[in-house]
Amino acid sequence: MNEQRLEIKALPGYPEEIGRQLWMMEDIRRDLLQKLQGLTQEELDATEDGDVTSIGALLYHIAEVETGWLHFDMLLRKNLDAELEPWFTAPTRNEQGEIWCPPGESLERHLERLAVVRRDFLEKFRSVDLEDWRTIREVPGEYDVTPEWIVYHLIEHEAHHRGQIFRMIGRMRRQG
């Protein structure tokens, strides 16, 4: 009998503790990408019950939050790397602060953005050792944060929005 093996492994190339957390990020992403297969443009851009947040907006938001925490909070930079800037040309929130982005961007473009951001994230984390993992970054006027907490937050953040996306897809497909 082929039973599924449920265990957490460390991503290779990182200290064990860090690699295990990064594996969790990747596991959440795998589930999300699998559920997005076959999503139509109409489903990607659809909103529910007067809400302005679409699945496309959530995908854009997930990528923007991941790269923002890395560049602005962990690395304490003022700007994104030049190769990332073209991926974030639209605001991620409307004037009321709701998660939003212009409709019409293809699923392929959203998936490519998520992949580019994740590659950048994992590459920059290769230089993080266990001491740096718990070293406080001071974000002036806002908070102090460690890379460990950033990864925890990104796991929680993507899992939350993944749940929203799954619910939205399920509801649309039951109604459609």
Side-chain angles (χ1 to χ4, degrees):
M1 189 178 217
N2 276 341
E3 293 182 10
Q4 189 177 11
R5 186 176 187 132
L6 303 173
E7 65 180 326
I8 295 171
K9 298 181 179 187
L11 283 186
Y14 302 92
E16 177 79 13
E17 182 178 338
I18 297 168
R20 292 172 70 80
Q21 297 295 313
L22 296 176
W23 181 92
M24 291 178 205
M25 284 181 71
E26 289 288 87
D27 187 59
I28 289 167
R29 180 64 53 86
R30 274 188 297 274
D31 285 351
L32 175 61
L33 297 178
Q34 184 177 34
K35 187 71 165 187
L36 295 172
Q37 290 178 8
L39 197 70
T40 67
Q41 190 67 47
E42 182 179 343
E43 291 170 326
L44 190 63
D45 293 337
T47 59
E48 301 177 315
D49 305 323
D51 190 352
V52 300
T53 304
S54 65
I55 292 171
L58 287 169
L59 296 175
Y60 193 93
H61 172 72
I62 289 168
E64 189 265 340
V65 167
E66 183 172 319
T67 203
W69 275 102
L70 174 66
H71 287 264
F72 305 132
D73 301 290
M74 191 182 114
L75 300 175
L76 301 173
R77 295 182 179 170
K78 299 292 182 211
N79 299 300
L80 292 178
D81 291 346
E83 61 272 9
L84 292 175
E85 286 179 2
W87 292 100
F88 299 99
T89 57
T92 60
R93 295 192 181 265
N94 65 12
E95 286 117 22
Q96 291 74 39
E98 299 164 303
I99 296 171
W100 174 87
C101 76
E105 191 165 69
S106 71
L107 179 60
E108 292 74 26
R109 177 83 174 160
H110 283 291
L111 296 179
E112 193 175 353
R113 178 184 299 105
L114 288 167
V116 165
V117 165
R118 181 56 56 87
R119 275 193 304 271
D120 180 60
F121 191 92
L122 293 175
E123 181 59 36
K124 286 181 171 60
F125 253 82
R126 291 217 182 267
S127 66
V128 175
D129 61 19
L130 284 175
E131 181 180 345
D132 193 30
W133 178 240
R134 293 199 174 96
T135 298
I136 298 278
R137 273 59 170 180
E138 295 177 14
V139 181
E142 294 192 48
Y143 42 75
D144 298 341
V145 66
T146 64
E148 180 181 33
W149 189 91
I150 289 170
V151 170
Y152 155 75
H153 175 66
L154 291 173
I155 290 168
E156 176 188 49
H157 180 261
E158 188 160 336
H160 170 77
H161 289 308
R162 179 187 67 179
Q164 284 182 283
I165 290 168
F166 287 9
R167 181 188 51 77
M168 292 168 77
I169 292 171
R171 194 176 277 171
M172 282 186 280
R173 293 191 175 160
R174 281 189 303 276
Q175 292 172 355

